[in-house]
Amino acid sequence: IRVRLPLITLVFLLVVITAGVATYLTPRQYQSSVTMQVKADDKMQIFNGNSGERYDPRFSTTQFQIIQHKEILYPVIDAMHLMEKWDLRSREQTFLTLRNMLTVTEVRNTDLIQISVLDKNRQEAADLANTIAVEYQKKRIDEQQSWVARSLVQLEDEVNKQRDKTEEL
């Protein structure tokens, strides 16, 4: 019994020291999130006869894919100089690294989407989440402006057709 007590104490101390060193040496991760409202456009919605509301069952999933796509993340990589900052060899490798740090979720029963980024650097996590949200919003605005411009051209064509018909009479 006398020999076992020091041995048990030694093993216990080794376990405690190992756990302490592992905790101290393990890199910390910070999560930063941006929550934003993302409404489906009327042209994208489907009428739900039961509730009288409009919805698109694929809308959130599609938006998640858009947020995690190169079209959004490449401008983030360029704007924040991530390839150089992270010392990666290619834009594709930087894209894959960034996408692995990124989580996009729907806030249940709302039209809110949460973009979360895990990073070892607290400020970088916040900057990444914000920059991704800004790039995504820019893309949505560009799409809406493009849709309006196409609609305007169609309306102008229709007005001209009607004008030509009126002049013929």
Side-chain angles (χ1 to χ4, degrees):
I1 294 180
R2 287 185 158 175
V3 174
R4 287 186 181 172
L5 186 60
L7 184 63
I8 292 172
T9 304
L10 181 64
V11 169
F12 176 75
L13 285 174
L14 281 174
V15 168
V16 169
I17 290 170
T18 303
V21 168
T23 301
Y24 179 74
L25 294 178
T26 303
R28 292 186 174 151
Q29 292 264 325
Y30 297 97
Q31 179 176 354
S32 184
S33 299
V34 172
T35 303
M36 62 184 169
Q37 185 177 29
V38 181
K39 290 186 176 184
D41 298 329
D42 287 338
K43 62 183 170 53
M44 301 169 69
Q45 295 176 340
I46 299 169
F47 182 70
N48 178 357
N50 296 334
S51 66
E53 297 176 0
R54 292 181 172 267
Y55 77 103
D56 183 349
R58 299 170 304 275
F59 178 73
S60 293
T61 304
T62 303
Q63 299 314 299
F64 297 169
Q65 292 168 346
I66 290 170
I67 291 169
Q68 296 179 45
H69 193 266
K70 291 176 183 179
E71 193 172 354
I72 301 298
L73 297 183
Y74 271 9
V76 172
I77 290 167
D78 295 341
M80 294 185 66
H81 308 286
L82 296 179
M83 204 165 95
E84 297 85 14
K85 192 182 286 185
W86 294 345
D87 195 28
L88 296 173
R89 297 181 193 264
S90 71
R91 204 172 182 201
E92 181 67 21
Q93 188 179 14
T94 309
F95 163 75
L96 293 172
T97 301
L98 177 56
R99 198 171 70 186
N100 286 334
M101 297 165 62
L102 179 64
T103 305
V104 184
T105 54
E106 182 178 20
V107 178
R108 195 175 190 162
N109 298 324
T110 69
D111 56 359
L112 301 174
I113 288 179
Q114 186 173 42
I115 299 172
S116 300
V117 177
L118 279 176
D119 197 334
K120 293 177 187 174
N121 181 311
R122 179 183 318 176
Q123 185 60 50
E124 186 171 273
D127 291 345
L128 283 168
N130 287 324
T131 306
I132 291 167
V134 167
E135 286 299 325
Y136 170 72
Q137 290 296 348
K138 283 183 193 175
K139 179 175 177 16
R140 296 253 317 160
I141 289 169
D142 289 347
E143 286 176 350
Q144 290 170 349
Q145 288 175 340
S146 175
W147 183 79
V148 168
R150 285 192 311 270
S151 298
L152 184 59
V153 167
Q154 290 174 346
L155 285 172
E156 288 172 346
D157 288 345
E158 189 61 35
V159 166
N160 289 334
K161 287 178 188 176
Q162 293 298 325
R163 185 175 294 137
D164 291 344
K165 284 183 183 179
T166 305
E167 288 175 0
E168 289 175 5
L169 294 176

